[in-house]
Amino acid sequence: MMRGERSFTALVLTVCMTNLAYIFYTMAVVTRLYQVSASAAVAIFIVSVSARIVSNTCLPLFVDRLRTRSLLGWAQAVQLVIAMLIWVLVQFENKEDSMDFIVILFILIAIISFFNGWIHPLKSTYVRLLVVKKRRVRANSILSTIDHMFLFAGWALGGVFVALLGINVALLVTVVLTIIAMLMLFLLPVGRRERKGSEMKERWSKRLASGWRVIWKQPFLRTLIIMDGWEAWAGTIWIAPVTFAYTEQVLQEGEAWWGYINGIYYLGTFAGGWLVYRFATRMEKKIWIYMVLGAASFGLLTLIYGLTSQPWLALVLVFLMGPAYQMRDLAQETMIQNSTDAEALTKVMAARSSMVQVIFLFSMLIITSVITYIGVEWIYIAAGMMLLVSAGYGASCFSRMQTEGSLLLENTRGERVYE
């Protein structure tokens, strides 16, 4: 199935350990900040997202200089050092001068978020390097399913873990998990760095925009990115303030049901990953159709979710969103992987991630500002309609490309992309 199953297993463990470490670190930091200032705990989210935007914007500059494994190694090493510094900072915190503590913590969090922003583009690049084209849907589904299993366990148990054992232990666990992730890197190939001398002399501004140039040249990539933009605006409905308001105001339930909704959603994504794996061979033959079908299903379920006030029906809808989301997301990622070589892929994924983060940040600010003036159910209804528009746009563009024959493209290594 894969070029080096041991390397792919190492990649899975690296990604899962990194994400699990990030969960424990996030819970520890937010818990400590909330003890100092509730507003600081909210502001840290904006700092983290902003740092990821800068991270993904700057990644093409580093891709030109370093190999894939080196980039991943640097990202892991910096996160390890910062986690240790945060642990030391908490130990020697001056209770009487909390402002200095918050400022230093914000700087450290910005740095760790910057390097954590590299993980997803590099992960996608490694799937492109390790897995043959006809098996990438299955590989992406395996990686996503296992990762969501760890995410479900981390978010479900992390709060209890921090409450019982304390912030210091949670930060130490973060350090241990990051070390395990770094050790797994030695089982990965170094990756390619194939830049010509003339390309290396390009101005930094052109290198920053290199991912966007690749996207602009390929119509189906442009279509995918436009769909991602619409979906990013809609994706903000799942942030904590909105989901909690929906649970309280529409479902007329308490905090426990907010937890149920989050848990059921992760369970649905786990089931969705398994279903994609099970039907991967069928999906690979008509991948764009399954991508559009997943996007449309997710939009329709979101629309119905906004219209219902029955708690149990809401749980069923959220569970069904998991498979719909996985079908859409895994098909999208596979289409991007199949369309570019490894070096270009890192830049394309970085550009995509940067755009999604920017839109998500603005959408979050807008929605949290208007949620008190309009019913929260209308936010979900609007999001569902936006997702359906995105799916309709994708269906129209890809069907036209198929009719014209332009969906049969070759990437830079001469491989056929879609058949």
Side-chain angles (χ1 to χ4, degrees):
M1 173 184 172
M2 300 165 190
R3 301 168 186 159
E5 291 189 3
R6 186 177 71 168
S7 295
F8 184 75
T9 301
L11 175 65
V12 172
L13 289 175
T14 296
V15 172
C16 292
M17 292 299 103
T18 300
N19 288 340
L20 196 58
Y22 198 74
I23 289 172
F24 281 106
Y25 139 81
T26 300
M27 287 194 166
V29 168
V30 171
T31 300
R32 185 67 197 95
L33 277 175
Y34 195 80
Q35 294 171 353
V36 177
S37 169
S39 58
V42 175
I44 202 64
F45 179 79
I46 297 176
V47 170
S48 180
V49 173
S50 300
R52 285 169 177 268
I53 293 170
V54 176
S55 166
N56 285 285
T57 301
C58 295
L59 183 54
L61 297 177
F62 298 94
V63 172
D64 293 339
R65 303 288 179 180
L66 298 171
R67 297 182 185 272
T68 308
R69 191 173 72 179
S70 298
L71 286 168
L72 203 51
W74 274 106
Q76 298 282 16
V78 172
Q79 289 183 85
L80 175 62
V81 171
I82 297 298
M84 295 172 68
L85 288 175
I86 291 175
W87 182 83
V88 172
L89 181 66
V90 171
Q91 306 308 305
F92 296 98
E93 175 190 358
N94 184 353
K95 304 292 184 180
E96 297 180 357
D97 196 357
S98 59
M99 185 54 65
D100 286 346
F101 170 77
I102 291 176
V103 170
I104 296 172
L105 195 56
F106 269 45
I107 294 172
L108 294 177
I109 288 169
I111 296 172
I112 200 171
S113 297
F114 178 93
F115 285 96
N116 189 264
W118 289 4
I119 300 300
H120 180 72
L122 294 174
K123 178 264 295 183
S124 190
T125 299
Y126 260 118
V127 172
R128 171 69 177 75
L129 287 170
L130 297 173
V131 185
V132 296
K133 174 179 168 290
K134 64 180 181 179
R135 292 289 183 264
R136 285 181 192 143
V137 172
R138 183 166 294 180
N140 283 320
S141 67
I142 292 172
L143 185 54
S144 178
T145 301
I146 297 175
D147 191 29
H148 276 90
M149 181 175 66
F150 275 89
L151 287 171
F152 174 73
W155 288 114
L157 303 177
V160 177
F161 184 90
V162 173
L164 291 178
L165 299 179
I167 297 170
N168 292 332
V169 176
L171 289 172
L172 288 176
V173 169
T174 298
V175 170
V176 172
L177 291 172
T178 306
I179 291 173
I180 295 173
M182 291 182 67
L183 292 175
M184 292 297 104
L185 293 179
F186 291 102
L187 299 177
L188 295 175
V190 295
R192 299 187 181 97
R193 179 170 59 85
E194 300 176 359
R195 298 288 287 174
K196 299 177 183 178
S198 59
E199 292 175 316
M200 290 294 291
K201 295 178 181 178
E202 283 183 341
R203 288 189 304 176
W204 64 269
S205 57
K206 287 187 176 181
R207 301 211 307 271
L208 285 177
S210 55
W212 289 108
R213 290 205 303 269
V214 175
I215 292 169
W216 182 254
K217 290 177 182 178
Q218 301 195 36
F220 72 93
L221 268 183
R222 290 204 307 270
T223 301
L224 286 173
I225 296 302
I226 290 171
M227 291 180 68
D228 274 333
W230 279 93
E231 291 157 6
W233 279 106
T236 320
I237 60 176
W238 301 109
I239 63 175
V242 180
T243 53
F244 185 76
Y246 174 83
T247 303
E248 188 178 59
Q249 298 173 21
V250 179
L251 300 183
Q252 301 292 313
E253 297 290 346
E255 294 181 5
W257 275 82
W258 179 54
Y260 298 157
I261 288 173
N262 288 330
I264 287 293
Y265 176 74
Y266 276 116
L267 187 62
T269 55
F270 178 81
W274 180 84
L275 287 172
V276 171
Y277 174 82
R278 178 69 177 79
F279 297 101
T281 303
R282 185 178 300 177
M283 282 184 62
E284 285 159 357
K285 295 177 181 178
K286 294 290 184 181
I287 190 169
W288 74 265
I289 294 177
Y290 283 93
M291 187 273 292
V292 170
L293 180 61
S297 300
F298 191 71
L300 182 61
L301 290 167
T302 303
L303 180 61
I304 298 172
Y305 183 79
L307 294 171
T308 187
S309 59
Q310 300 299 318
W312 289 105
L313 178 57
L315 286 183
V316 172
L317 292 169
V318 168
F319 177 81
L320 293 176
M321 288 177 194
Y325 173 82
Q326 289 287 62
M327 188 191 307
R328 183 205 72 189
D329 195 59
L330 295 176
Q332 279 182 334
E333 184 151 356
T334 304
M335 290 172 74
I336 296 174
Q337 288 168 344
N338 290 349
S339 69
T340 57
D341 61 30
E343 183 185 13
L345 176 61
T346 306
K347 297 176 180 180
V348 168
M349 294 302 291
R352 176 198 189 202
S353 182
S354 178
M355 179 203 70
V356 168
Q357 295 280 356
V358 169
I359 294 175
F360 184 85
L361 183 61
F362 278 102
S363 178
M364 179 193 67
L365 295 173
I366 292 171
I367 287 180
T368 52
S369 299
V370 304
I371 194 172
T372 55
Y373 301 103
I374 63 174
V376 67
E377 65 273 16
W378 286 104
I379 292 176
Y380 284 95
I381 293 170
M385 294 176 67
M386 290 177 70
L387 290 167
L388 288 172
V389 168
S390 173
Y393 170 78
S396 174
C397 290
F398 288 123
S399 61
R400 186 180 68 252
M401 291 178 205
Q402 188 175 53
T403 301
E404 296 172 350
S406 60
L407 199 62
L408 290 171
L409 300 173
E410 293 183 355
N411 64 24
T412 55
R413 299 196 177 279
E415 297 173 345
R416 297 297 270 182
V417 179
Y418 299 121
E419 302 168 349

